[in-house]
């Protein structure tokens, strides 16, 4: 489907009809400039081309109708921001930290995720190609994907509501929010709705969501629940007061069914 609709003109690692030099020299326009990886602030001239990396991006961005930042590194700097934030642009920072290479470039669309789900990418390109309306959130991510939370569709929601912890990674029972750092209630993406390879997700196999689509990814201590006075942060969009009152009530009940193994080999 993808190759029937789109023609890839250049990619550094796959066999494509044009070299980067061809693309830089031509006056022809392209529909999409797709960027992967964090962007460098370096002004160093790349000897093969006689341009700096920044020049190359400027030239290519003018040719493109849309600039797609594929993955969290291209969108927000990703793991490289931890190493040396000063040298990394990211493609577009907004919200908490403004700046970035193309902060004001309305062509930019961020498809964050580490990795980005291939369906988010293909669906976004198809929508743009067919002229469908694409609404973006404050981080210029498609709302169709990023208005959901990873928490939506997680099979552990009942355990979350009754504050029943998962005892260990890989277990079918319990919620990973209280002790294992699950960021599902704060992370925008529809992973648990569309699933990976249409069959699974981190939380379905007993691993916590570590918030890879968010602007501030990666946090340090990915699998640790940050607590204040022994209470985890409230889920996204819920007041602390409401959350802690409800959590206190729920924790007071012991729901026997939820404390048991789903499949008990001994019974
Ligand atoms: S494991 Fe994570 S995503 Fe699933 S219910 Fe618990 S907090 Fe939500």
């Amino acid at each position: 489907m993808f190759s029937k609709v789109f023609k890839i003109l250049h990619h550094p690692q796959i066999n494509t009809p044009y070299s980067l030099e061809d693309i830089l020299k031509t006056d022809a326009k392209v529909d999409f400039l797709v960027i992967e990886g964090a962007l460098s602030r370096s002004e160093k001239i790349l000897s093969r081309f006689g341009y700096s990396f920044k020049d190359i991006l400027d030239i290519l961005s003018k040719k493109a109708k849309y600039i797609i930042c594929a993955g969290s590194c291209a969108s927000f700097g990703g793991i490289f921001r931890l190493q040396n934030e000063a040298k990394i642009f990211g493609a577009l920072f907004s919200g908490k930290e403004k700046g970035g290479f193309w902060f004001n470039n309305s062509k930019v669309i961020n498809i964050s995720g580490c990795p980005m789900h291939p369906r988010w990418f293909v669906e976004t390109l198809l929508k743009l190609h067919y002229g469908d309306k694409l609404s973006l959130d404050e981080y210029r991510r498609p709302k169709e994907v990023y208005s959901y939370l990873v928490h939506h569709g997680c099979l552990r929601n009942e355990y979350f509501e009754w504050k029943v912890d998962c005892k260990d990674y890989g277990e079918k029972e319990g919620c990973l929010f209280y002790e294992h750092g699950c960021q599902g209630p704060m992370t925008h993406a529809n992973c648990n709705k569309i699933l990976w390879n249409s069959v699974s997700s981190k939380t379905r196999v007993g691993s916590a969501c570590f918030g890879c689509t968010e602007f501030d990814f990666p946090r340090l201590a990915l699998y640790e629940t940050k607590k204040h006075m022994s209470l985890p942060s409230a889920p996204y969009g819920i007041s602390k007061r409401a959350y802690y009152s409800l959590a206190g009530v729920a924790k007071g009940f012991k729901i026997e069914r939820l404390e048991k193994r789903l499949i008990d080999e001994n019974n």
Side-chain angles (χ1 to χ4, degrees):
M1 166 76 175
F2 190 83
S3 59
K4 280 188 190 149
V5 179
F6 300 109
K7 189 170 170 195
I8 303 176
L9 300 179
H10 171 74
H11 186 285
Q13 284 166 340
I14 56 178
N15 198 10
T16 42
Y18 300 99
S19 68
L20 181 55
E21 261 158 325
D22 296 336
I23 304 277
L24 286 168
K25 282 179 191 156
T26 179
D27 289 333
K29 300 281 181 198
V30 297
D31 288 332
F32 301 104
L33 167 64
V34 180
I35 297 174
E36 277 189 280
L39 307 183
S40 166
R41 285 180 192 275
S42 172
E43 296 284 335
K44 203 170 107 195
I45 303 295
L46 303 177
S47 55
R48 207 175 123 216
F49 301 109
Y51 302 112
S52 70
F53 182 66
K54 185 174 172 298
D55 295 334
I56 292 175
L57 286 175
D58 275 335
I59 295 168
L60 295 180
S61 67
K62 289 192 183 93
K63 296 179 189 294
K65 206 162 152 194
Y66 300 104
I67 300 163
I68 309 290
C69 297
S72 288
C73 289
S75 299
F76 306 131
I79 198 161
F80 297 97
R81 292 174 64 221
L82 294 183
Q83 193 190 13
N84 192 347
E85 198 163 330
K87 287 193 177 160
I88 300 295
F89 274 119
L92 179 124
F93 293 138
S94 63
K96 283 176 282 182
E97 290 175 49
K98 299 195 177 187
F101 193 66
W102 286 311
F103 175 62
N104 284 320
N105 194 324
S106 59
K107 295 178 181 180
V108 170
I109 294 166
N110 288 320
I111 308 182
S112 58
C114 188
M116 158 196 79
H117 196 299
R119 211 170 123 176
W120 303 339
F121 177 71
V122 174
E123 283 179 359
T124 302
L125 261 58
L126 284 172
K127 270 191 163 229
L128 295 169
H129 175 74
Y130 289 114
D132 292 348
K133 190 174 181 294
L134 188 78
S135 306
L136 302 176
D137 70 7
E138 59 172 325
Y139 293 101
R140 301 195 64 79
R141 301 176 297 190
K143 281 188 182 167
E144 195 84 28
V145 173
Y146 298 94
S147 54
Y148 292 92
L149 293 172
V150 172
H151 190 59
H152 296 152
C154 177
L155 299 180
R156 297 166 189 269
N157 269 307
E158 195 182 17
Y159 295 103
F160 176 84
E161 283 158 22
W162 294 101
K163 316 291 163 250
V164 178
D165 301 335
C166 179
K167 304 287 174 290
D168 211 346
Y169 295 108
E171 284 187 355
K172 294 182 187 65
E173 307 84 3
C175 169
L176 296 133
F177 183 66
Y178 304 100
E179 299 299 334
H180 297 92
C182 187
Q183 291 288 297
M186 293 89 162
T187 301
H188 294 84
N190 60 4
C191 304
N192 265 319
K193 183 170 169 274
I194 63 166
L195 304 176
W196 290 82
N197 291 331
S198 307
V199 290
S200 197
S201 70
K202 283 198 190 68
T203 60
R204 291 198 181 196
V205 294
S207 172
C209 160
F210 49 61
C212 75
T213 57
E214 291 304 304
F215 176 85
D216 59 357
F217 172 78
R219 294 179 308 144
L220 295 174
L222 286 184
Y223 291 110
E224 223 176 86
T225 300
K226 273 193 199 156
K227 292 188 182 167
H228 178 63
M229 296 176 63
S230 76
L231 294 167
S233 319
Y236 174 76
I238 296 180
S239 80
K240 274 189 189 166
R241 196 161 154 232
Y243 175 68
Y244 292 144
S245 313
L246 269 177
V249 174
K251 193 89 182 153
F253 290 92
K254 204 167 167 59
I255 311 292
E256 207 183 314
R257 174 172 60 81
L258 299 178
E259 301 292 335
K260 287 184 180 162
R261 307 294 306 236
L262 276 173
I263 303 166
D264 191 343
E265 305 294 347
N266 301 318
N267 281 304

Coordinates of all heavy atoms in Angstrom, one line a residue, residues 181-258:
G181 N 6.5 2.3 38.1 CA 6.7 3.5 37.3 C 5.8 3.6 36.1 O 6.2 4.4 35.2
C182 N 4.7 2.9 36.0 CA 3.9 3.0 34.8 C 3.5 4.5 34.5 O 2.9 5.1 35.4 CB 2.7 2.1 34.8 SG 1.9 2.1 33.2
Q183 N 3.7 5.0 33.3 CA 3.3 6.3 32.9 C 2.1 6.4 32.1 O 1.8 7.4 31.5 CB 4.5 7.0 32.1 CG 5.8 7.2 32.9 CD 5.5 8.4 33.9 OE1 5.3 9.5 33.4 NE2 5.6 8.2 35.1
G184 N 1.4 5.2 32.0 CA 0.2 5.1 31.1 C -0.8 6.2 31.4 O -1.3 6.8 30.4
P185 N -1.1 6.6 32.6 CA -2.1 7.6 32.8 C -1.6 9.0 32.5 O -2.4 10.0 32.6 CB -2.5 7.5 34.3 CG -1.9 6.2 34.7 CD -0.8 5.9 33.9
M186 N -0.4 9.2 32.2 CA 0.2 10.5 31.8 C 0.7 10.6 30.4 O 1.2 11.6 30.0 CB 1.3 10.9 32.7 CG 1.0 11.1 34.2 SD 1.1 9.6 35.0 CE 1.2 10.1 36.7
T187 N 0.6 9.5 29.7 CA 1.3 9.4 28.4 C 0.3 9.4 27.2 O -0.5 8.5 27.2 CB 2.2 8.1 28.3 OG1 3.2 8.3 29.4 CG2 3.0 8.0 27.0
H188 N 0.5 10.3 26.3 CA -0.4 10.4 25.2 C 0.0 9.6 24.0 O 1.0 9.8 23.4 CB -0.5 11.9 24.7 CG -1.1 12.8 25.8 ND1 -0.3 13.3 26.8 CD2 -2.3 13.2 26.0 CE1 -1.1 14.0 27.6 NE2 -2.4 14.0 27.1
A189 N -0.8 8.6 23.7 CA -0.6 7.7 22.6 C -1.7 6.6 22.6 O -2.3 6.4 23.7 CB 0.7 7.0 22.6
N190 N -2.0 6.0 21.5 CA -3.1 5.0 21.5 C -2.6 3.6 21.4 O -3.2 2.7 20.9 CB -4.1 5.3 20.3 CG -3.4 5.2 19.0 OD1 -2.2 4.9 18.9 ND2 -4.2 5.5 17.9
C191 N -1.4 3.4 22.0 CA -0.7 2.0 22.0 C -1.7 0.9 22.4 O -1.7 -0.2 21.9 CB 0.5 2.0 22.9 SG 1.7 3.2 22.7
N192 N -2.4 1.1 23.5 CA -3.3 0.1 24.0 C -4.6 0.0 23.3 O -5.4 -0.9 23.6 CB -3.5 0.3 25.5 CG -2.5 -0.5 26.3 OD1 -2.2 -1.7 26.0 ND2 -2.0 0.0 27.4
K193 N -4.8 0.8 22.3 CA -6.0 0.8 21.5 C -5.7 0.1 20.2 O -6.4 -0.9 19.8 CB -6.5 2.2 21.2 CG -7.8 2.4 20.5 CD -8.2 3.8 20.5 CE -9.3 4.0 19.5 NZ -8.9 4.3 18.1
I194 N -4.6 0.4 19.5 CA -4.3 -0.2 18.3 C -3.3 -1.4 18.4 O -3.2 -2.2 17.6 CB -3.8 0.8 17.2 CG1 -2.5 1.4 17.6 CG2 -4.8 1.9 16.9 CD1 -1.7 2.1 16.5
L195 N -2.6 -1.4 19.5 CA -1.6 -2.4 19.9 C -0.4 -2.4 18.9 O -0.5 -1.8 17.9 CB -2.3 -3.8 20.0 CG -3.5 -3.9 21.0 CD1 -4.1 -5.2 20.9 CD2 -3.0 -3.5 22.4
W196 N 0.6 -3.2 19.3 CA 1.8 -3.3 18.5 C 1.6 -4.6 17.7 O 1.3 -5.7 18.3 CB 3.1 -3.3 19.3 CG 3.3 -2.0 19.9 CD1 2.7 -1.4 21.0 CD2 4.1 -0.9 19.3 NE1 3.1 -0.1 21.1 CE2 4.0 0.2 20.1 CE3 4.9 -0.9 18.1 CZ2 4.7 1.4 19.8 CZ3 5.6 0.3 17.9 CH2 5.5 1.4 18.7
N197 N 1.9 -4.6 16.4 CA 1.6 -5.8 15.5 C 0.2 -6.2 15.7 O -0.1 -7.4 15.5 CB 2.6 -6.9 15.8 CG 4.0 -6.6 15.4 OD1 4.2 -5.8 14.5 ND2 5.0 -7.2 16.1
S198 N -0.7 -5.3 16.1 CA -2.1 -5.6 16.3 C -2.4 -6.6 17.4 O -3.5 -7.1 17.6 CB -2.8 -6.1 15.1 OG -2.6 -5.2 14.0
V199 N -1.4 -7.0 18.2 CA -1.6 -8.0 19.3 C -1.2 -7.6 20.7 O -1.7 -8.2 21.6 CB -0.9 -9.4 18.9 CG1 -1.5 -10.1 17.7 CG2 0.6 -9.2 18.7
S200 N -0.2 -6.8 20.9 CA 0.3 -6.6 22.2 C 0.7 -5.2 22.5 O 0.7 -4.3 21.7 CB 1.4 -7.6 22.4 OG 1.7 -7.7 23.8
S201 N 1.1 -5.0 23.8 CA 1.6 -3.7 24.2 C 2.5 -3.9 25.5 O 2.5 -5.0 26.0 CB 0.5 -2.7 24.6 OG -0.1 -3.2 25.8
K202 N 3.2 -2.9 25.9 CA 4.1 -3.1 27.1 C 3.2 -3.6 28.3 O 3.6 -4.6 28.9 CB 4.7 -1.8 27.5 CG 5.9 -1.4 26.6 CD 6.8 -0.4 27.3 CE 7.8 0.2 26.4 NZ 7.2 1.0 25.3
T203 N 2.2 -2.9 28.6 CA 1.4 -3.2 29.8 C 0.8 -4.6 29.6 O 0.5 -5.3 30.6 CB 0.4 -2.2 30.1 OG1 -0.6 -2.0 29.1 CG2 1.0 -0.8 30.4
R204 N 0.4 -5.0 28.4 CA -0.2 -6.3 28.2 C 0.8 -7.5 28.5 O 0.4 -8.6 28.9 CB -0.7 -6.5 26.8 CG -2.0 -5.6 26.7 CD -2.8 -5.9 25.6 NE -3.9 -4.9 25.6 CZ -5.0 -5.0 24.9 NH1 -5.3 -6.1 24.2 NH2 -6.0 -4.1 25.0
V205 N 2.1 -7.2 28.4 CA 3.1 -8.3 28.7 C 3.7 -8.0 30.1 O 4.6 -8.7 30.4 CB 4.2 -8.4 27.6 CG1 3.6 -8.8 26.3 CG2 5.0 -7.1 27.5
G206 N 3.1 -7.1 30.8 CA 3.6 -6.9 32.2 C 4.8 -6.0 32.4 O 5.6 -6.1 33.3
S207 N 5.0 -5.1 31.4 CA 6.0 -4.1 31.6 C 5.4 -2.7 31.7 O 4.3 -2.4 31.0 CB 7.0 -4.1 30.4 OG 7.9 -3.1 30.4
A208 N 6.0 -1.8 32.4 CA 5.4 -0.5 32.6 C 5.6 0.4 31.3 O 6.6 0.2 30.7 CB 6.0 0.2 33.8
C209 N 4.6 1.2 31.1 CA 4.8 2.3 30.0 C 5.8 3.3 30.6 O 5.6 3.7 31.7 CB 3.4 2.9 29.7 SG 3.6 4.5 28.9
F210 N 6.8 3.6 29.8 CA 7.7 4.6 30.3 C 7.7 6.0 29.6 O 8.6 6.8 29.6 CB 9.2 4.1 30.4 CG 9.8 3.4 29.2 CD1 9.9 4.1 28.0 CD2 10.2 2.1 29.3 CE1 10.4 3.5 26.9 CE2 10.7 1.5 28.2 CZ 10.8 2.2 27.0
G211 N 6.5 6.2 29.0 CA 6.2 7.6 28.6 C 7.0 8.0 27.4 O 7.3 9.2 27.2
C212 N 7.3 7.1 26.4 CA 8.2 7.5 25.3 C 7.7 8.5 24.3 O 8.4 9.0 23.5 CB 8.7 6.2 24.6 SG 7.4 5.4 23.5
T213 N 6.4 8.8 24.3 CA 5.9 9.8 23.4 C 5.9 11.2 23.9 O 5.5 12.1 23.2 CB 4.4 9.4 23.0 OG1 3.6 9.4 24.2 CG2 4.3 8.1 22.3
E214 N 6.2 11.3 25.2 CA 6.1 12.6 25.8 C 7.3 13.5 25.6 O 8.4 13.1 25.3 CB 5.9 12.5 27.3 CG 4.5 11.9 27.6 CD 3.3 12.7 27.0 OE1 3.3 13.9 27.3 OE2 2.5 12.1 26.3
F215 N 7.1 14.8 25.7 CA 8.1 15.8 25.5 C 9.3 15.6 26.4 O 10.5 15.8 25.9 CB 7.5 17.2 25.8 CG 8.5 18.3 25.7 CD1 8.7 18.9 24.5 CD2 9.1 18.8 26.8 CE1 9.6 19.9 24.4 CE2 10.0 19.8 26.7 CZ 10.3 20.4 25.5
D216 N 9.1 15.2 27.6 CA 10.2 15.1 28.6 C 10.9 13.7 28.6 O 11.6 13.4 29.5 CB 9.8 15.5 30.0 CG 8.7 14.6 30.5 OD1 8.2 13.8 29.8 OD2 8.3 14.8 31.7
F217 N 10.5 12.8 27.7 CA 11.1 11.5 27.6 C 12.6 11.6 27.2 O 12.9 12.4 26.3 CB 10.4 10.6 26.6 CG 11.0 9.3 26.4 CD1 10.9 8.2 27.3 CD2 11.8 9.1 25.2 CE1 11.5 7.0 27.1 CE2 12.4 7.8 25.0 CZ 12.3 6.8 25.9
P218 N 13.5 10.9 27.7 CA 13.3 9.9 28.8 C 13.6 10.5 30.2 O 14.5 11.3 30.4 CB 14.4 8.9 28.6 CG 15.5 9.7 27.9 CD 14.9 10.8 27.2
R219 N 12.7 10.1 31.1 CA 13.0 10.5 32.5 C 14.1 9.6 33.0 O 14.3 8.5 32.4 CB 11.8 10.2 33.4 CG 10.5 11.0 33.1 CD 9.4 10.5 34.0 NE 9.3 9.1 34.0 CZ 9.0 8.3 35.0 NH1 8.8 8.8 36.2 NH2 8.8 7.0 34.9
L220 N 14.8 10.0 34.0 CA 15.7 9.1 34.7 C 14.9 8.1 35.5 O 13.8 8.4 35.9 CB 16.7 9.9 35.5 CG 17.6 10.8 34.7 CD1 18.5 11.7 35.7 CD2 18.5 10.0 33.8
A221 N 15.5 7.0 35.8 CA 14.8 5.9 36.6 C 13.4 5.6 36.0 O 12.3 5.9 36.5 CB 14.6 6.4 38.0
L222 N 13.5 5.0 34.8 CA 12.3 4.8 34.0 C 11.2 3.9 34.7 O 10.1 4.1 34.4 CB 12.7 4.1 32.7 CG 13.4 4.9 31.6 CD1 13.6 4.0 30.3 CD2 12.5 6.1 31.2
Y223 N 11.7 2.9 35.5 CA 10.8 2.0 36.1 C 10.5 2.3 37.5 O 10.3 1.4 38.3 CB 11.2 0.6 35.8 CG 11.2 0.1 34.4 CD1 12.3 0.0 33.6 CD2 10.0 -0.1 33.8 CE1 12.3 -0.4 32.3 CE2 9.9 -0.5 32.4 CZ 11.0 -0.6 31.7 OH 11.0 -1.0 30.4
E224 N 10.6 3.5 37.9 CA 10.4 3.8 39.3 C 9.2 4.8 39.4 O 9.1 5.7 38.7 CB 11.7 4.6 39.8 CG 12.1 4.2 41.2 CD 13.4 4.9 41.5 OE1 13.3 6.1 42.0 OE2 14.5 4.4 41.2
T225 N 8.4 4.5 40.4 CA 7.2 5.4 40.6 C 7.7 6.6 41.5 O 8.1 6.3 42.6 CB 6.1 4.6 41.3 OG1 5.7 3.6 40.5 CG2 4.9 5.5 41.6
K226 N 7.6 7.8 40.9 CA 8.0 8.9 41.7 C 6.9 9.2 42.7 O 5.7 9.2 42.4 CB 8.0 10.2 40.8 CG 9.4 10.3 40.2 CD 9.4 11.7 39.6 CE 10.5 11.8 38.6 NZ 10.3 12.9 37.6
K227 N 7.2 9.4 44.0 CA 6.2 9.5 45.0 C 6.4 10.8 45.8 O 7.6 11.2 46.0 CB 6.2 8.3 45.9 CG 5.7 7.1 45.3 CD 5.5 6.0 46.2 CE 5.1 4.7 45.5 NZ 5.2 3.5 46.3
H228 N 5.3 11.4 46.3 CA 5.4 12.5 47.2 C 4.6 12.1 48.4 O 3.4 11.8 48.3 CB 4.8 13.7 46.6 CG 4.8 14.9 47.4 ND1 6.0 15.5 47.9 CD2 3.8 15.6 48.0 CE1 5.7 16.5 48.7 NE2 4.4 16.6 48.8
M229 N 5.3 12.0 49.6 CA 4.7 11.5 50.8 C 4.1 10.2 50.6 O 2.9 10.0 50.9 CB 3.7 12.6 51.4 CG 4.4 13.9 51.7 SD 3.3 15.2 52.3 CE 2.6 14.5 53.7
S230 N 4.8 9.3 50.0 CA 4.4 7.9 49.7 C 3.3 7.8 48.7 O 2.7 6.7 48.5 CB 4.3 7.1 50.9 OG 3.1 7.4 51.5
L231 N 2.9 8.9 48.0 CA 1.8 8.8 47.1 C 2.3 9.1 45.7 O 3.0 10.1 45.5 CB 0.7 9.8 47.4 CG -0.1 9.6 48.7 CD1 -0.9 10.8 49.1 CD2 -1.0 8.4 48.6
P232 N 1.9 8.3 44.6 CA 2.3 8.6 43.3 C 1.6 9.9 42.7 O 0.6 10.3 43.3 CB 1.9 7.4 42.5 CG 0.9 6.7 43.3 CD 1.0 7.1 44.7
S233 N 2.2 10.5 41.7 CA 1.5 11.6 41.1 C 0.1 11.3 40.6 O -0.1 10.1 40.2 CB 2.3 12.1 39.8 OG 3.7 12.0 40.1
A234 N -0.7 12.3 40.5 CA -2.1 12.1 40.1 C -2.1 11.9 38.5 O -1.2 12.5 37.9 CB -3.0 13.2 40.4
P235 N -3.0 11.0 38.0 CA -3.0 10.9 36.5 C -3.3 12.2 35.8 O -3.8 13.1 36.4 CB -4.2 9.9 36.3 CG -4.3 9.2 37.6 CD -3.9 10.2 38.7
Y236 N -3.0 12.2 34.5 CA -3.1 13.5 33.7 C -4.5 14.0 33.8 O -5.5 13.3 33.6 CB -2.7 13.1 32.3 CG -2.9 14.2 31.3 CD1 -2.1 15.3 31.3 CD2 -4.0 14.2 30.5 CE1 -2.3 16.4 30.4 CE2 -4.3 15.3 29.6 CZ -3.4 16.3 29.5 OH -3.6 17.3 28.7
G237 N -4.7 15.3 34.1 CA -6.0 16.0 34.0 C -6.9 15.7 35.2 O -8.1 16.1 35.2
I238 N -6.4 15.1 36.2 CA -7.2 14.8 37.4 C -6.6 15.5 38.6 O -5.4 15.5 38.8 CB -7.3 13.3 37.7 CG1 -7.9 12.6 36.5 CG2 -8.0 13.0 39.0 CD1 -8.1 11.1 36.6
S239 N -7.4 16.2 39.3 CA -6.9 17.0 40.4 C -6.3 16.1 41.5 O -6.9 15.0 41.7 CB -7.9 18.0 41.0 OG -8.7 17.2 41.9
K240 N -5.2 16.5 42.2 CA -4.6 15.7 43.2 C -5.6 15.4 44.3 O -5.7 14.3 44.8 CB -3.5 16.5 43.8 CG -2.2 16.4 43.1 CD -1.1 17.0 43.9 CE 0.2 17.0 43.1 NZ 1.2 17.9 43.6
R241 N -6.4 16.4 44.7 CA -7.4 16.2 45.8 C -8.4 15.1 45.4 O -8.6 14.2 46.2 CB -8.1 17.5 46.0 CG -8.8 17.6 47.3 CD -9.1 19.0 47.7 NE -10.3 19.0 48.6 CZ -11.3 19.7 48.4 NH1 -11.4 20.5 47.4 NH2 -12.3 19.6 49.3
A242 N -8.9 15.2 44.2 CA -9.9 14.2 43.8 C -9.3 12.8 43.7 O -9.8 11.8 44.2 CB -10.5 14.6 42.4
Y243 N -8.0 12.8 43.2 CA -7.4 11.5 43.0 C -7.0 10.8 44.3 O -7.3 9.7 44.6 CB -6.1 11.6 42.1 CG -5.4 10.3 42.0 CD1 -5.9 9.2 41.3 CD2 -4.2 10.1 42.7 CE1 -5.3 8.0 41.3 CE2 -3.5 8.9 42.6 CZ -4.0 7.9 41.9 OH -3.4 6.7 41.9
Y244 N -6.5 11.6 45.2 CA -6.0 11.1 46.5 C -7.2 10.7 47.4 O -7.2 9.7 48.1 CB -5.1 12.0 47.3 CG -3.8 12.2 46.6 CD1 -3.1 13.4 46.6 CD2 -3.2 11.1 45.9 CE1 -1.9 13.5 45.9 CE2 -2.0 11.2 45.2 CZ -1.3 12.4 45.2 OH -0.1 12.6 44.6
S245 N -8.4 11.4 47.3 CA -9.6 11.1 48.0 C -10.1 9.7 47.5 O -10.3 8.8 48.3 CB -10.7 12.1 47.9 OG -10.2 13.3 48.0
L246 N -10.2 9.6 46.2 CA -10.7 8.3 45.6 C -9.8 7.2 45.9 O -10.2 6.1 46.3 CB -10.8 8.5 44.1 CG -12.2 9.0 43.6 CD1 -12.1 9.1 42.1 CD2 -13.3 8.0 44.0
A247 N -8.5 7.4 45.8 CA -7.5 6.4 46.0 C -7.5 5.9 47.4 O -7.5 4.7 47.7 CB -6.1 6.9 45.7
G248 N -7.7 6.8 48.4 CA -7.8 6.4 49.8 C -9.0 5.5 50.0 O -8.9 4.5 50.7
V249 N -10.1 5.9 49.4 CA -11.3 5.0 49.6 C -11.1 3.7 49.0 O -11.3 2.6 49.6 CB -12.6 5.7 49.0 CG1 -13.8 4.8 49.0 CG2 -12.8 7.0 49.7
A250 N -10.6 3.6 47.7 CA -10.4 2.4 47.0 C -9.5 1.5 47.8 O -9.7 0.3 47.9 CB -10.0 2.6 45.6
K251 N -8.4 2.0 48.2 CA -7.4 1.3 48.9 C -7.9 0.6 50.2 O -7.5 -0.5 50.6 CB -6.2 2.2 49.3 CG -4.9 1.5 49.7 CD -4.0 1.1 48.5 CE -2.8 0.4 49.0 NZ -2.3 -0.5 47.9
G252 N -9.0 1.3 50.8 CA -9.5 0.8 52.0 C -10.3 -0.6 51.8 O -10.6 -1.3 52.8
F253 N -10.7 -0.8 50.6 CA -11.4 -2.1 50.3 C -10.4 -3.1 49.9 O -9.5 -2.8 49.1 CB -12.5 -1.9 49.2 CG -13.6 -1.0 49.7 CD1 -13.6 0.4 49.5 CD2 -14.7 -1.6 50.3 CE1 -14.7 1.2 49.9 CE2 -15.8 -0.8 50.8 CZ -15.7 0.6 50.5
K254 N -10.7 -4.3 50.3 CA -9.8 -5.4 49.7 C -10.7 -6.3 48.9 O -11.6 -7.0 49.4 CB -9.3 -6.2 50.9 CG -8.0 -6.9 50.6 CD -7.3 -7.4 51.9 CE -6.2 -8.4 51.6 NZ -5.1 -7.9 50.8
I255 N -10.5 -6.2 47.6 CA -11.4 -7.0 46.7 C -10.7 -8.3 46.5 O -9.7 -8.4 45.8 CB -11.5 -6.2 45.3 CG1 -11.9 -4.8 45.5 CG2 -12.6 -7.0 44.4 CD1 -13.3 -4.5 46.1
E256 N -11.3 -9.3 47.0 CA -10.6 -10.7 47.0 C -10.3 -11.2 45.6 O -9.3 -11.7 45.4 CB -11.6 -11.6 47.8 CG -10.8 -12.8 48.4 CD -11.7 -13.8 49.0 OE1 -12.7 -13.3 49.7 OE2 -11.5 -15.0 48.8
R257 N -11.3 -11.0 44.7 CA -11.1 -11.5 43.3 C -9.8 -10.9 42.7 O -9.1 -11.6 42.0 CB -12.3 -11.1 42.5 CG -12.2 -11.4 41.0 CD -13.5 -11.2 40.3 NE -14.0 -9.9 40.3 CZ -13.5 -8.9 39.6 NH1 -12.6 -9.1 38.7 NH2 -14.0 -7.7 39.7
L258 N -9.6 -9.6 43.0 CA -8.4 -9.0 42.4 C -7.1 -9.3 43.0 O -6.0 -9.1 42.5 CB -8.6 -7.5 42.4 CG -9.8 -7.0 41.6 CD1 -9.9 -5.4 41.7 CD2 -9.7 -7.4 40.1

